[in-house]
Amino acid sequence: QKEVEQNSGPLSVPEGAIASLNCTYSDRGSQSFFWYRQYSGKSPELIMFIYSNGDKEDGRFTAQLNKASQYVSLLIRDSQPSDSATYLCAVTLNSGYALNFGKGTSLLVTP
Amino acid sequence: ETGVTQTPRHLVMGMTNKKSLKCEQHLGHNAMYWYKQSAKKPLELMFVYNFKEQTENNSVPSRFSPECPNSSHLFLHLHTLQPEDSALYLCASSQSAGNTEAFFGQGTRLTVV
């Protein structure tokens, strides 16, 4: 069973702070890594993807990948109340046909 | 406005009913997926179609039957469902099956009574 693990939270951060969301995966063959945001009652929305070790920045979001340690993280700078949502980590295998999702981390940004 | 459209948005059905969920994508993608999302559980992959061919059936009960007539349309036919099948059913598409980002529709909230 290929697993993707996330702390379910809730993770609470004050407005303006940095939110750090973490994800670990079990299969060393994993090739592609994605972060989705899901608001309550809505469908998942792609935020970022990363394929190579290191950091990838897009606006207030930074994805970090460490394949040796089998973890991927998402940093949200200058957190806003509108960032409050569940963040889903997803991983694909080199031989896989679809994304494998973690349970998600609930983030609450307090004003 | 999403490039992946699902209908209906909400569905209530009895255990003896037959219904179908529809998904349409306008993104020019070649892969389409059905996922099930239940409370407190990760998104569960159900079916994958790549260039209209089913490439994965993730041990889904036969009361769920997928159909992919072309790369833009995907159906999920439902019959004799159980109350535990109540969930959010999400359709997604990607350029091809595998290591490319997937885009989701708004989902169908299914309640089996």
Side-chain angles (χ1 to χ4, degrees):
Chain A
Q1 180 71 24
K2 315 299 185 192
E3 293 188 348
V4 180
E5 299 288 342
Q6 295 182 258
N7 188 324
S8 61
L11 173 66
S12 183
V13 300
E15 183 174 358
I18 296 175
S20 178
L21 305 160
N22 299 312
C23 171
T24 60
Y25 57 95
S26 63
D27 197 310
R28 286 194 173 275
S30 299
Q31 293 290 318
S32 305
F33 307 86
F34 304 85
W35 283 100
Y36 284 81
R37 177 176 62 199
Q38 187 174 24
Y39 292 111
S40 180
K42 302 293 186 181
S43 61
E45 170 192 11
L46 180 68
I47 298 176
M48 291 194 70
F49 58 88
I50 185 167
Y51 301 140
S52 304
N53 276 329
D55 294 0
K56 178 181 179 181
E57 186 174 319
D58 184 1
R60 296 187 295 114
F61 299 98
T62 299
Q64 299 175 317
L65 175 61
N66 184 322
K67 288 187 178 181
S69 300
Q70 295 177 241
Y71 83 78
V72 56
S73 62
L74 179 70
L75 301 179
I76 306 175
R77 289 181 300 281
D78 188 24
S79 295
Q80 302 296 309
S82 58
D83 295 326
S84 299
T86 296
Y87 288 80
L88 304 172
C89 173
V91 173
T92 60
L93 302 176
N94 191 39
S95 59
Y97 288 104
L99 304 177
N100 295 300
F101 284 85
K103 288 185 180 181
T105 298
S106 175
L107 173 66
L108 177 64
V109 181
T110 56
Chain B
E1 176 69 27
T2 177
V4 182
T5 304
Q6 289 187 243
T7 55
R9 294 291 305 278
H10 301 273
L11 178 63
V12 179
M13 61 185 289
M15 289 189 283
T16 58
N17 290 161
K18 289 185 180 180
K19 296 286 184 184
S20 295
L21 309 185
K22 179 182 177 182
C23 177
E24 183 174 2
Q25 58 95 2
H26 307 278
L27 301 170
H29 289 166
N30 297 302
M32 297 187 76
Y33 313 81
W34 281 115
Y35 282 89
K36 175 184 178 182
Q37 188 172 38
S38 305
K40 311 271 189 200
K41 296 174 77 172
L43 276 162
E44 300 172 57
L45 178 67
M46 301 176 73
F47 302 103
V48 181
Y49 280 83
N50 197 30
F51 293 91
K52 299 190 297 179
E53 298 296 320
Q54 185 174 318
T55 57
E56 194 151 336
N57 174 341
N58 212 24
S59 302
V60 180
S62 60
R63 58 186 183 269
F64 295 92
S65 175
E67 178 189 2
C68 186
N70 54 61
S71 293
S72 299
H73 293 85
L74 184 65
F75 296 89
L76 187 63
H77 304 300
L78 316 171
H79 64 97
T80 59
L81 294 191
Q82 303 300 309
E84 59 264 29
D85 296 322
S86 299
L88 180 67
Y89 289 83
L90 289 160
C91 173
S93 72
S94 64
Q95 186 59 49
S96 62
N99 294 319
T100 60
E101 55 270 33
F103 297 89
F104 285 85
Q106 294 302 307
T108 295
R109 174 67 63 184
L110 174 67
T111 303
V112 181
V113 296

